[in-house]
Amino acid sequence: MASIQQRILDVVYNCGGITKRGVEKIAGNDLILKEFLEKKILKKQPIEIQDKKIALYTITDFGERLYTEQTGKKHFFRCSRGEKVVALSYFYISEIENCNDWRNKDEWYAHGEHGLIPDGTYYKNGEQYGIVVVRKSERNRAEEQLKTFSENQQIKQIKIMIQ
């Protein structure tokens, strides 16, 4: 089993960031955040979601180098929409025990895929699933474009979360 520190960094790698609440779900408390901030592995980024200000913790350049050296992974999920990062990270954390082989959208792009791709894909009970977080106005377009990707990659189901 991966260490708590590794699990938190995996969330940041695969989802673009993590909240204090997300860290608490993984670690049981938020003490590890102080260590990550002191070592300059993560940085605190204020965002606003539904008129409420919260802190999103994202990776620093130093943190990226460290994570890449430790894991060999170098295609961090990138998204400038804080609410999307939060929703995706909460989903990832809720499924962390039940899924494996998570592959984020930027990893798919790095391997030659193009077009609209799920924010993450993973295997659960031997079958591949996907998750995408979209704005309400983008739902119909997303459903159409993801259908082809899903068929080509043999994805059983892609969950669409509306933001």
Side-chain angles (χ1 to χ4, degrees), residues 120-136:
T121 57
Y122 58 96
Y123 284 89
K124 183 176 179 177
N125 300 324
E127 297 190 284
Q128 190 174 24
Y129 293 86
I131 177 75
V132 64
V133 181
V134 297
R135 291 183 174 104
K136 189 175 185 176

Side-chain angles (χ1 to χ4, degrees), residues 21-144:
R21 182 174 150 211
V23 170
E24 290 170 343
K25 283 184 173 252
I26 293 172
N29 59 55
D30 66 350
L31 298 175
I32 189 76
L33 277 176
K34 183 177 179 181
E35 179 184 332
F36 280 145
L37 293 169
E38 286 175 356
K39 291 181 178 180
K40 304 216 183 299
I41 294 171
L42 295 180
K43 61 186 172 189
K44 186 177 182 179
Q45 178 182 337
I47 63 169
E48 194 170 305
I49 297 179
Q50 299 173 349
D51 299 325
K52 183 179 177 185
K53 290 187 180 190
I54 66 166
L56 180 65
Y57 296 90
T58 58
I59 197 99
T60 64
D61 290 341
F62 172 72
E64 277 193 32
R65 285 192 305 274
L66 187 68
Y67 186 85
T68 299
E69 288 172 8
Q70 290 175 350
T71 65
K73 296 179 178 184
K74 56 185 175 185
H75 302 290
F76 287 79
F77 181 85
R78 306 283 186 205
C79 181
S80 59
R81 287 183 39 222
E83 66 275 5
K84 179 176 185 161
V85 171
V86 170
L88 185 61
S89 69
Y90 286 163
F91 176 83
Y92 180 91
I93 291 166
S94 74
E95 291 292 320
I96 208 165
E97 296 296 329
N98 303 318
C99 67
N100 56 41
D101 296 326
W102 184 279
R103 190 176 202 187
N104 71 46
K105 173 175 55 178
D106 292 296
E107 290 174 314
W108 281 105
Y109 286 137
H111 287 97
E113 290 296 329
H114 59 283
L116 187 62
I117 294 174
D119 295 316
T121 57
Y122 58 96
Y123 284 89
K124 183 176 179 177
N125 300 324
E127 297 190 284
Q128 190 174 24
Y129 293 86
I131 177 75
V132 64
V133 181
V134 297
R135 291 183 174 104
K136 189 175 185 176
S137 62
E138 299 171 343
R139 181 184 185 139
N140 291 339
R141 180 182 67 85
E143 285 176 347
E144 284 299 314

